[in-house]
Amino acid sequence: MENNSLKHLAIIMDGNGRYAKNMGKPRFVGHQLGMENVENITLACDELGIKVLTLYAFSTENWARPKEEVAFLMNLPVKFFNKFMPTLMKNNVRVKIMGFLDQLPEKTYQVVQDAMEQTRNNTGLVLNFAFNYGSRKEIVAATQAIAQKVADHELQVSDIDEELLSRNMLTGDLGDLSDPDLLIRTSGEERLSNFLLWQLAYTEFAFTDKLWPEFTKEDLTKIVQDFQKRHRRFGGLDK
Ligand code: V07
């Protein structure tokens, strides 16, 4: 029946701390295993023909965690690219990091900028990390940018429309792929946690009890097949 195409998939990678706790290990072990699973799932998405994978890795609210944990998380991009950059290049993956990058520690900032630079000419899957990201802050920043243009007489109030708002979000450079078709959240939680509030207007949601480090390619494939059979209306009516 239905045959939805999945171009943009977004994932909230939840359950890493709980996974570690279940194994009687400290939280950072869960984060480390979670990081390793990012590579598996990225390659699986590529095989499934997905064009953009957006991963929610660190929110602007996560700074409230214990400072040792924050320091560990801020070092994960360093580890990630040290370990996986050759595979990303081999698979023609383009890396993007979407968030408030000016607030990152210097080393982390450099590493994520380098990764974007090194993969800039790759033409395959876009691996888009939401990193130090918060959706309400994103909407505030977009509003400020637009208001500034109006104040400077570069725009008129009547020029403000959905298209303009979309282009001023941090996903704006993804063009017609800026809105995810499907959002997956692992670990049984069913909430958005300040993720892509504007972009998820017509997105399909899928929740799984699997914790992120144990979420496999097979779990993903099952959810994607299920998505392809769904009936999407985008707010319209059936003909
Ligand atoms: C993080 C592993 C995945 C589960 C979520 C919690 C821990 C990869 C990254 C990353 C981020 C930006 C980037 C490259 C890699 C990452 C954080 C946490 C904060 F450019 N995994 N991962 N960042 N975890």
Side-chain angles (χ1 to χ4, degrees):
M1 251 276 283
E2 310 295 336
N3 195 4
N4 296 315
S5 86
L6 179 51
K7 299 195 190 91
H8 184 171
L9 171 66
I11 307 182
I12 301 177
M13 306 180 291
D14 199 6
N16 306 282
R18 204 187 320 154
Y19 184 81
K21 196 173 177 204
N22 292 348
M23 295 199 314
K25 299 263 164 74
R27 286 178 65 80
F28 73 84
V29 173
H31 293 324
Q32 174 81 31
L33 293 169
M35 181 197 84
E36 285 165 19
N37 202 31
V38 168
E39 188 200 28
N40 299 330
I41 297 299
T42 300
L43 298 177
C45 284
D46 193 26
E47 284 175 32
L48 288 166
I50 291 165
K51 306 284 178 221
V52 180
L53 172 63
T54 297
L55 297 175
Y56 200 13
F58 191 90
S59 90
T60 51
E61 288 84 49
N62 289 157
W63 294 103
R65 295 191 180 182
K67 71 174 188 303
E68 299 74 26
E69 184 171 352
V70 170
F72 186 85
L73 290 169
M74 282 298 142
N75 195 41
L76 279 180
V78 180
K79 286 193 186 171
F80 181 83
F81 293 120
N82 271 334
K83 208 161 171 187
F84 299 129
M85 186 50 90
T87 314
L88 298 176
M89 290 306 291
K90 194 175 131 234
N91 287 277
N92 198 21
V93 173
R94 184 152 58 96
V95 173
K96 260 200 51 154
I97 294 98
M98 159 180 94
F100 297 90
L101 304 187
D102 51 332
Q103 296 157 12
L104 297 179
E106 179 63 21
K107 170 84 181 160
T108 309
Y109 179 83
Q110 282 306 330
V111 159
V112 301
Q113 291 294 342
D114 286 355
M116 287 193 276
E117 177 59 29
Q118 277 187 64
T119 62
R120 197 167 51 123
N121 295 320
N122 290 352
T123 54
L125 176 82
V126 176
L127 174 57
N128 181 33
F129 286 100
F131 190 67
N132 197 28
Y133 172 86
S135 186
R136 287 186 169 188
K137 282 198 172 60
E138 170 188 44
I139 293 169
V140 169
T143 306
Q144 288 178 339
I146 292 168
Q148 188 63 59
K149 289 202 173 105
V150 173
D152 296 345
H153 304 289
E154 289 169 37
L155 271 184
Q156 302 214 304
V157 168
S158 58
D159 293 329
I160 301 172
D161 58 9
E162 294 187 15
E163 177 67 28
L164 183 76
L165 264 290
S166 283
R167 275 193 281 111
N168 278 276
M169 297 295 158
L170 294 168
T171 44
D173 56 344
L174 295 168
D176 62 351
L177 296 181
S178 68
D179 297 347
D181 302 294
L182 175 66
L183 170 78
I184 299 173
R185 182 168 187 150
T186 58
S187 110
E189 306 297 339
E190 302 190 353
R191 52 182 129 77
L192 285 182
S193 304
N194 202 17
F195 186 47
L196 301 177
L197 301 179
W198 171 268
Q199 296 87 340
L200 295 173
Y202 295 108
T203 301
E204 300 285 326
F205 290 3
F207 299 103
T208 170
D209 288 335
K210 283 281 187 86
L211 305 174
W212 173 253
E214 61 187 13
F215 183 73
T216 64
K217 180 180 170 176
E218 288 68 36
D219 297 323
L220 173 68
T221 306
K222 173 86 185 50
I223 289 173
V224 169
Q225 285 168 350
D226 190 66
F227 161 83
Q228 285 163 341
K229 292 184 209 134
R230 293 193 197 183
H231 182 54
R232 299 183 75 191
R233 295 204 308 194
F234 298 96
L237 293 176
D238 293 323
K239 294 193 193 69

